[in-house]
Amino acid sequence: MTQPDGAAVDDWAFSARMLNLLFEAAAVARNGVEYTNSEVATAINQRAGRRVISDETIRKLRNPGGPQPSFDKVAHIAAFFQVPLDAFKEGTDTHEAIAAEANKLLEAHQKHTEKVNRQVAEEAEGVQMLARSARRLDSRGLKLAMEFISSLQKMQKP
């Protein structure tokens, strides 16, 4: 790695895979909404107090085989995602540890999302069954069912 003089990080390849992984992991904390390249560039530039990076540069860095960023750009990206510089250097212990943590977070989020989706599907199935049953009732039966449901709701309130 060269000094922070704007020269490219030429003694190791910048990991686009890690950058994308950090975008995905950050989305978990944002209710599944991934940062845009523009949001990241704007935040980095505001924090630096000057134009350090563009959204187009971030887009290019997210593509494997893209350009090698300067030390300065890597430092700003690392600061934005709150990771050390070595996170972007494949093969280092830091890179492997951060990738493992990010993947663990993403897997936990995926399992949670699948569980919630199953619960929603089960609830929807129950509601559909109730609706089908209610359609077969006459007005008197429908009124009694509504009263029964209202009584159940009152009993379940803490």
Side-chain angles (χ1 to χ4, degrees):
M1 201 175 334
T2 58
Q3 296 299 316
D5 60 1
V9 179
D10 55 5
D11 61 341
W12 49 271
F14 177 81
S15 175
R17 184 179 69 89
M18 176 59 76
L19 182 56
N20 287 315
L21 186 59
L22 292 172
F23 267 86
E24 290 176 46
V28 171
R30 300 181 76 218
N31 294 320
V33 178
E34 192 171 290
Y35 284 112
T36 65
N37 297 337
S38 181
E39 287 173 321
V40 173
T42 298
I44 289 171
N45 293 334
Q46 285 176 345
R47 194 175 290 161
R50 62 186 171 88
R51 184 175 168 88
V52 173
I53 197 164
S54 69
D55 57 332
E56 180 62 15
T57 298
I58 292 173
R59 184 193 66 77
K60 288 177 182 176
L61 292 174
R62 293 182 73 181
N63 291 313
Q68 288 298 298
S70 68
F71 179 90
D72 189 49
K73 284 181 176 54
V74 176
H76 285 287
I77 293 168
F80 176 82
F81 286 107
Q82 300 177 348
V83 296
L85 286 170
D86 275 359
F88 295 102
K89 183 179 180 183
E90 290 189 20
T92 64
D93 290 342
T94 303
H95 175 87
E96 299 306 321
I98 290 173
E101 282 300 311
N103 282 318
K104 193 163 99 175
L105 175 68
L106 291 170
E107 287 173 19
H109 179 68
Q110 182 178 358
K111 285 180 182 177
H112 174 73
T113 300
E114 288 170 358
K115 179 181 175 184
V116 168
N117 287 343
R118 278 192 306 274
Q119 289 171 338
V120 167
E122 288 170 6
E123 288 175 11
E125 189 177 307
V127 169
Q128 289 172 353
M129 191 268 309
L130 284 172
R132 283 191 301 271
S133 298
R135 274 186 259 163
R136 291 187 227 123
L137 298 174
D138 61 15
S139 60
R140 183 173 167 268
L142 194 54
K143 183 178 177 190
L144 286 171
M146 295 293 288
E147 289 172 3
F148 180 71
I149 289 171
S150 180
S151 296
L152 283 174
Q153 287 174 330
K154 288 176 187 174
M155 289 188 325
Q156 287 187 345
K157 287 185 180 176

